[in-house]
Amino acid sequence: MELEVNQTPVRTSKNFNINNIKLENVSFPSKILEFNNLKILNSDTKVTIDDLTSPIALNYGLGAELTNLVINNSNKKINVNINSKTNKEIQIKFDLDKKNSALLEDIEITANESTKETVIIKYTSDSSTFLFHDGIIRVNAKENSVLNVIIVNLINEKSSNFLAIQNNIDANAKVNYTIVDFGGKNSITNHYTNMTGDSAKTTINTIYLGHNSQVFDLNYIAELRGLQNDVKIEVQGALADTAKKHFKGTIDFKRGCKKSVGDENEACMLLSNTAKSLSLPMLLCSEEDVEGNHSSSAGKIDEKELFYIMTRGFSLKEAMKLLVKAKFNKILETIPNYELREKIIKEIDMRLN
Amino acid sequence: MKTQVEEINRNIYDFKNDDNYEYKIKKGLTPEIIEEISKQKGDPDWMREFRLKALEVYNKLEMPTWGPDISELNMDEIATYVKPKTTLSNSWEDVPEDIKSTFDKLGIPEAEKTSLAGVGAQYDSEVVYHSMKEDLIKQGVIYTDMETAVRDYPDIVKKHFMKCVPVSDHKFAALHGAVWSGGSFVYVPKGVKVDIPLQSYFRLNSPESGQFEHTLIIVEEGASLHFIEGCSAPKYNKVNLHAGCVELYVKDNAYLRYSTIENWSKNMLNLNTKKAIVGKNAKMDWVSGSFGSKISMLYPMSILNGEGSRTEFTGISFAGGGQNLDNGFKVVHNAPNTSSVVNAKSISKNGGKCTYRSLVKISSNAPHSKSSVSCESLMLDDMSISDTIPTNDIETDDVEFSHEAKIGKISDKTIFYLMSRGLSEEDAKAMIVRGFAYPISKELPVEYAVEMNRLINLELEGAIG
C-alpha cells in the first residue's frame, strides 16, 4: 500500500517534497491480535490507570488511514488520571515481539488541576521480525499542572512506527516532553499542541538517531492562543549511512496570544555523505506582540573536535560516538530515570557501531 | 501605543492614460488567440510552434495547490496582448506624447541621462523605447528588445530561450511561453565590464490585460553587468496579470547583479518567474524590493552549477492593506565549493500579509558548500500576518548550512533606550524601522532607497501605554 501521511499545516511547493511523506509498500497487519506484552509501573496511589479512554478526536494526527486504524482496531487502551503532586514516576512499557507484533494503542493522560507527575512511555522490541506500531497519545494538562512526558522509541529497524500526539494545555499549565526517536524502518511522528490557556508553557526536546536506511518524519505543530504562552522546541539529531530525516516544525502565533514567545532550534549532524536532511521550520504569525525565533543547521561533525579526541587515543568511530552523545547529552539529562538514560546511551553505541 | 507607518504613496504610479491601443487581442486563451499573437508579432515559425506547445503544457498543468488564493484569476477575462499605438524608437522625441509623459512622470528619461548606461521602456505588451550608450555598443554589448533579438540573433536566442526556465516549470511559466511579448535581451561579451547599470522599465496601462515580458541576459566569461528592472501600473477594479520570465546566464568568472523594484498596482497578480544559471567562480546577486501587487508569488532562483560559484539574495517586502506578498528565494547548490547568502526582510501592516517562502538545496555533488540564510519580519499592527516557510534540503555531509528567522514587533526597550538619548518617540521608531530596512535599502539604486526611506514615515496614534 502507498500512504501519504503527516501533512504540514500549511502547504508549500510540492516540488520541495515536504508537504507530507509518501511511504511505499506499507503493510497494515491483516489481523489485529491482543497485545499482552505491557508493563505498567505505578507506585503513586493518587494516579489511577484504567482502560476508560474518551472517544478519539484529533485536530491533526497522521492522516485518516492511520487515525482510523487506531479508532477501529485499538488493542490497548490506557487512561491515566493524575491527582498527585509528588511527581513520582509512572512507567508504561510496550515490548513488541513475534506474538505481539502489532500495537495499536490509545493512551489518554489527564493531569488534573495543580498536579505534578512524570510519565515514561517506552517502546522496545527483541525481535528482528517486522512489527507494526500505530499509536495515539492524548494529553490534557489542566490549570497549574506540570506534566513531564518521556517517550522512548527503540523498536527494531524492520518495523513501521507511527505515533500521533495531541496536547491541550490550560492556563498556567506546563507540559515538558523528552522524545528519544531511534527505532523503526520508518518512524513517523505527529506532535500537535493546542495552548488554550494564558501562561501555558511547553517544551519539546527531541533526539533522533538514524542509520542504515532509516527514515524519520517529525511534524511538530504548536498553536499559541493564550496570553504569554511559551513554546520551546529543541531537536538534535544524527544521521549515518543512507538515513534520512524530515523535520517539519510549526510555531503558529494565533491572533490574541500577546506577549507570547516561541523558539525552535533544529540541528542535524550528518555522519555520512549519503545521509539526507530535509527541514521546514515554519513561523506563522497573526499577532504583533510576540517574539518568534527559529534556527536550523546541518553539517558534519567538526573535524577539529574529532582530531582533538583522537589525539587522546580514541578511534574515529569512538570519537564520533562521543561527540554524538555529547550533543545529545543536554536533552538526555532531562530524563530523571538513570537506568533509562544508560539504556539510551548503550543504544547510541550499538546503533553507531 | 501604536505605530503608524504610511503605506506606499501610489499617486505617482496610479495615473492612467486612456486605453488607447493599436491592437488588443480578444480575451481568453485558445490556440487561435496564440496564432493571432504570433501573427501580430511576426514570429518566425519556430517561435509560433513553441508558443502552441507551451499552451498545450499550460492546459495540462494544475494551478498551484499552495500559497495565496489566486482563484479570482480567470484567463477568459484577460487580454494577453495589447499593442500600443507606436513603434520601437531609440529617441524619446519619437515616442507618442501620452506614453512619453508616463515615463517622464516615472523619471525614466531623467535617470537615463544621469545614472544609466542604457534604458528600455515597455508599455503594455511592446517595448516602445530602447537605447544604450555608444561605447557599450562598440564593445559588442547588445541591449535590445526581445522581438529584435529573436529576429536578429536567432542562434543565441534559440540556444537559451526558456531553457533555464522550461515551460514545464509551472503553469504560469507555460502561460508565459505561450503569450510572451516584449522584454529585454542583453548580451555582454567575454571580459566586458559594464560599469554603469542598464535599466528596463515595464508599465502596464491597459485594464483587464496581462504583461508577459521576457528578459534574457547572457553575461559571458569574465564579464560583468548590473541590470535594474522596474515595474508599475495604475489601479483598476478588475485584476491584471503579470507573468513575466527572467532567464539569466552568468558564465564562468562573470558577475551579474539583478535589481528589481516592483511596485505594481494593488489589483495586480504578480506571478513572475526568475532564474539564473551560474557558472564556475561566477557570482549572481539579487536585490529585490517588493512593494506593490495585490498578490505576489515571486521566488527568484540561483542554480549554482559551476564549482566555486556564489549567490547573494537581498530582499525586502512591504505589504499594506489588501496585499498578500508571498515572496522568497530558491537556491540549488549543484557543484563543489559553492556558497549562498540570503538576507530577507519583510514589513507588514494594516492587514497586509507577508510570507517568506524559500528553498535551499545542497545536492550530493556539492561538497564544501556553504549556505547562510537570515530572515526577519516586522509586524506593525495586530491586524497583519507574517509567515516564514523555508525548506532546507541537505544531501551531503560536508556542508555548512544555517538558517535563522525572527518575527516580532518594534521592541519597547529599544524605543526606551533611544528616547533616553533624547530622541522623540516618533523619531526613535522611525530610526528603528529605517535601521531594520537599511541592509536592504543600501543595496537599492539610490533613487529607490531615498523613496523607500521617505515612505517609512512614522506617526503616533493614541497615548503611550
Side-chain angles (χ1 to χ4, degrees):
Chain A
M1 180 183 6
E2 190 177 279
L3 268 186
E4 278 188 21
V5 297
N6 222 4
Q7 184 81 36
T8 51
V10 173
R11 286 176 64 81
T12 191
S13 171
K14 69 177 183 181
N15 297 337
F16 300 170
N17 297 317
I18 198 162
N19 290 320
N20 50 38
I21 182 162
K22 285 180 191 166
L23 299 170
E24 290 171 358
N25 303 321
V26 178
S27 52
F28 285 179
S30 53
K31 196 175 175 189
I32 309 292
L33 302 171
E34 275 189 28
F35 189 90
N36 295 314
N37 233 353
L38 165 68
K39 276 185 193 158
I40 298 177
L41 305 177
N42 175 23
S43 59
D44 197 332
T45 54
K46 292 197 170 173
V47 175
T48 56
I49 300 178
D50 54 38
D51 61 358
L52 303 173
T53 56
S54 61
I56 294 170
L58 296 184
N59 290 33
Y60 278 93
L62 290 163
E65 293 102 330
L66 290 161
T67 301
N68 290 335
L69 196 64
V70 180
I71 289 173
N72 299 325
N73 304 286
S74 165
N75 58 4
K76 200 48 74 182
K77 289 178 188 288
I78 300 169
N79 178 40
V80 181
N81 199 293
I82 298 165
N83 285 296
S84 169
K85 295 179 182 176
T86 55
N87 195 19
K88 287 186 180 171
E89 197 174 273
I90 298 160
Q91 291 191 37
I92 303 170
K93 297 179 182 178
F94 299 97
D95 194 11
L96 289 85
D97 59 21
K98 275 184 185 168
K99 285 185 183 169
N100 299 276
S101 62
L103 171 63
L104 285 82
E105 87 281 18
D106 169 23
I107 299 175
E108 187 170 14
I109 302 169
T110 303
N112 289 303
E113 221 174 293
S114 303
T115 56
K116 196 171 185 184
E117 194 58 274
T118 296
V119 179
I120 297 174
I121 305 168
K122 189 176 158 194
Y123 304 91
T124 54
S125 69
D126 291 332
S127 167
S128 59
T129 54
F130 172 76
L131 305 163
F132 184 86
H133 170 225
D134 181 13
I136 292 175
I137 299 172
R138 290 172 290 158
V139 167
N140 301 299
K142 306 288 186 187
E143 282 187 25
N144 298 306
S145 62
V146 177
L147 180 65
N148 303 308
V149 183
I150 296 159
I151 298 172
V152 180
N153 159 29
L154 300 176
I155 66 175
N156 75 47
E157 288 164 35
K158 291 185 176 173
S159 305
S160 287
N161 181 52
F162 300 103
L163 183 61
I165 301 165
Q166 176 160 299
N167 306 286
N168 201 71
I169 308 179
D170 289 351
N172 293 307
K174 187 172 186 188
V175 179
N176 303 311
Y177 272 90
T178 301
I179 300 174
V180 176
D181 198 359
F182 289 178
K185 181 183 178 191
N186 302 307
S187 184
I188 318 295
T189 309
N190 184 282
H191 190 292
Y192 167 70
T193 303
N194 186 18
M195 305 181 76
T196 51
D198 294 348
S199 299
K201 290 185 171 62
T202 190
T203 59
I204 306 167
N205 290 309
T206 295
I207 51 174
Y208 62 86
L209 174 62
H211 71 140
N212 296 331
S213 58
Q214 283 184 282
V215 175
F216 294 86
D217 191 82
L218 317 176
N219 189 7
Y220 292 3
I221 304 147
E223 293 180 346
L224 291 74
R225 299 175 196 278
L227 299 174
Q228 293 183 308
N229 285 172
D230 191 331
V231 176
K232 286 193 172 49
I233 301 173
E234 174 83 21
V235 177
Q236 294 279 345
L239 298 172
D241 308 320
T242 58
K244 189 174 181 181
K245 171 251 12 181
H246 301 168
F247 171 73
K248 301 172 271 194
T250 306
I251 295 179
D252 189 352
F253 296 95
K254 299 291 187 188
R255 189 152 295 154
C257 72
K258 291 183 185 299
K259 309 287 179 198
S260 290
V261 179
D263 287 313
E264 183 180 2
N265 178 39
E266 190 254 340
C268 180
M269 275 181 284
L270 295 160
L271 307 178
S272 89
N273 61 6
T274 48
K276 289 182 171 57
S277 164
L278 188 58
S279 62
L280 177 64
M282 287 196 272
L283 288 175
L284 309 179
C285 191
S286 305
E287 172 55 53
E288 169 204 22
D289 192 3
V290 297
E291 275 180 52
N293 301 292
H294 72 219
S295 59
S296 174
S297 61
K300 66 177 185 178
I301 290 179
D302 189 324
E303 284 178 359
K304 282 182 191 161
E305 288 176 6
L306 271 179
F307 177 77
Y308 177 81
I309 295 169
M310 289 168 74
T311 60
R312 298 296 186 269
F314 290 90
S315 70
L316 175 64
K317 194 167 261 181
E318 286 168 327
M320 277 173 78
K321 281 184 198 173
L322 268 177
L323 285 169
V324 169
K325 284 186 277 188
K327 283 276 182 195
F328 287 179
N329 197 46
K330 191 177 151 199
I331 291 176
L332 284 172
E333 278 182 346
T334 62
I335 300 173
N337 184 309
Y338 174 78
E339 282 176 21
L340 181 59
R341 236 175 24 230
E342 287 301 303
K343 165 83 178 154
I344 294 165
I345 289 167
K346 276 186 190 162
E347 281 285 331
I348 297 171
D349 282 330
M350 193 185 77
R351 287 168 190 260
L352 288 181
N353 253 339
Chain B
M1 189 168 68
K2 285 283 171 195
T3 309
Q4 185 70 31
V5 177
E6 286 184 359
E7 287 184 31
I8 305 290
N9 177 352
R10 294 203 52 87
N11 291 344
I12 57 166
Y13 305 105
D14 268 347
F15 61 89
K16 48 188 97 162
N17 295 341
D18 293 338
D19 189 18
N20 197 7
Y21 49 80
E22 183 177 310
Y23 178 81
K24 189 169 185 173
I25 197 106
K26 66 178 179 182
K27 293 173 185 175
L29 208 55
T30 62
E32 293 70 37
I33 286 173
I34 301 302
E35 291 267 14
E36 186 57 30
I37 291 173
S38 200
K39 188 176 155 195
Q40 286 287 332
K41 297 187 68 65
D43 279 344
D45 286 347
W46 73 269
M47 184 55 80
R48 184 177 55 80
E49 286 161 16
F50 183 94
R51 288 179 187 276
L52 290 166
K53 277 183 188 158
L55 179 66
E56 283 176 24
V57 176
Y58 171 82
N59 286 328
K60 282 180 192 159
L61 292 174
E62 61 176 8
M63 293 286 271
T65 54
W66 49 276
D69 178 9
I70 51 171
S71 56
E72 67 183 301
L73 175 63
N74 179 0
M75 285 310 296
D76 293 335
E77 293 297 319
I78 298 278
T80 51
Y81 181 67
V82 184
K83 187 177 184 183
K85 267 192 172 169
T86 182
T87 52
L88 175 62
S89 168
N90 57 11
S91 162
W92 282 112
E93 300 307 316
D94 298 334
V95 175
E97 195 50 43
D98 58 337
I99 297 177
K100 181 174 170 294
S101 83
T102 299
F103 289 106
D104 277 340
K105 285 174 192 164
L106 295 166
I108 307 303
E110 189 57 33
E112 181 185 3
K113 279 181 226 158
T114 55
S115 57
L116 297 169
V119 160
Q122 177 160 340
Y123 193 83
D124 291 331
S125 295
E126 294 290 353
V127 176
V128 296
Y129 174 82
H130 237 290
S131 172
M132 187 173 59
K133 288 194 187 309
E134 269 301 314
D135 59 325
L136 291 178
I137 297 170
K138 283 178 189 162
Q139 290 180 78
V141 176
I142 303 166
Y143 178 39
T144 185
D145 62 298
M146 267 311 292
E147 284 75 5
T148 302
V150 170
R151 191 183 64 232
D152 294 352
Y153 310 101
D155 293 343
I156 303 178
V157 174
K158 266 188 195 175
K159 189 178 167 188
H160 296 92
F161 185 81
M162 296 207 83
K163 295 289 193 293
C164 180
V165 179
V167 292
S168 57
D169 218 32
H170 57 84
K171 194 167 182 74
F172 295 98
L175 172 67
H176 175 91
V179 301
W180 77 271
S181 181
S184 294
F185 172 76
V186 184
Y187 179 84
V188 186
K190 192 173 174 178
V192 174
K193 313 271 186 198
V194 182
D195 296 328
I196 307 172
L198 301 178
Q199 175 169 354
S200 282
Y201 200 94
F202 301 98
R203 174 78 179 175
L204 182 59
N205 183 68
S206 189
E208 294 177 278
S209 64
Q211 194 166 65
F212 307 94
E213 83 287 353
H214 194 92
T215 302
L216 175 57
I217 298 178
I218 300 158
V219 186
E220 287 286 3
E221 266 182 57
S224 70
L225 173 69
H226 181 188
F227 188 86
I228 302 168
E229 171 196 69
C231 329
S232 71
K235 184 169 181 180
Y236 294 102
N237 289 329
K238 291 195 175 176
V239 295
N240 276 18
L241 172 64
H242 176 235
C245 179
V246 174
E247 297 187 285
L248 311 174
Y249 295 85
V250 191
K251 302 289 176 75
D252 294 354
N253 300 303
Y255 173 72
L256 174 59
R257 166 176 281 223
Y258 195 93
S259 301
T260 303
I261 308 301
E262 180 272 299
N263 201 4
W264 293 114
S265 57
K266 289 186 182 177
N267 63 319
M268 180 70 87
L269 304 188
N270 182 35
L271 311 174
N272 212 4
T273 309
K274 298 178 178 183
K275 211 183 268 190
I277 293 176
V278 191
K280 192 175 176 181
N281 294 319
K283 186 163 189 233
M284 173 73 223
D285 288 346
W286 302 89
V287 180
S288 176
S290 184
F291 304 102
S293 302
K294 181 179 185 183
I295 290 172
S296 175
M297 293 176 77
L298 177 59
Y299 322 98
M301 181 177 195
S302 287
I303 301 172
L304 303 177
N305 273 352
E307 186 168 352
S309 56
R310 294 169 291 156
T311 190
E312 266 185 52
F313 173 83
T314 308
I316 191 162
S317 298
F318 189 123
Q323 288 184 275
N324 186 345
L325 305 185
D326 197 299
N327 296 334
F329 180 63
K330 295 188 284 185
V331 57
V332 176
H333 292 251
N334 234 353
N337 302 309
T338 49
S339 74
S340 59
V341 177
V342 178
N343 186 9
K345 303 218 175 199
S346 72
I347 301 171
S348 46
K349 72 150 290 178
N350 204 19
K353 180 175 182 180
C354 275
T355 300
Y356 174 75
R357 192 184 301 270
S358 67
L359 171 71
V360 173
K361 184 181 174 82
I362 303 182
S363 305
S364 55
N365 58 350
H368 314 297
S369 290
K370 293 178 184 176
S371 177
S372 169
V373 180
S374 165
C375 55
E376 285 184 80
S377 306
L378 191 59
M379 293 178 69
L380 297 181
D381 56 43
D382 54 11
M383 302 153 65
S384 303
I385 296 175
S386 182
D387 292 346
T388 307
I389 308 177
T391 304
N392 310 311
D393 189 354
I394 313 299
E395 296 192 338
T396 187
D397 63 334
D398 199 358
V399 296
E400 285 178 35
F401 164 75
S402 68
H403 172 107
E404 58 182 42
K406 286 179 193 169
I407 287 180
K409 66 167 195 169
I410 296 177
S411 153
D412 290 342
K413 278 184 194 165
T414 315
I415 293 169
F416 177 77
Y417 174 82
L418 289 171
M419 288 173 72
S420 73
R421 294 294 184 273
L423 267 70
S424 71
E425 194 171 331
E426 303 96 282
D427 289 345
K429 286 187 170 181
M431 182 179 278
I432 293 164
V433 177
R434 285 196 189 106
F436 177 80
Y438 177 72
I440 315 293
S441 63
K442 77 182 172 65
E443 301 296 333
L444 291 172
V446 68
E447 63 272 28
Y448 292 106
V450 169
E451 174 68 1
M452 195 174 108
N453 279 339
R454 195 187 65 76
L455 294 164
I456 301 171
N457 179 18
L458 297 166
E459 291 174 9
L460 287 178
E461 183 185 277
I464 293 171

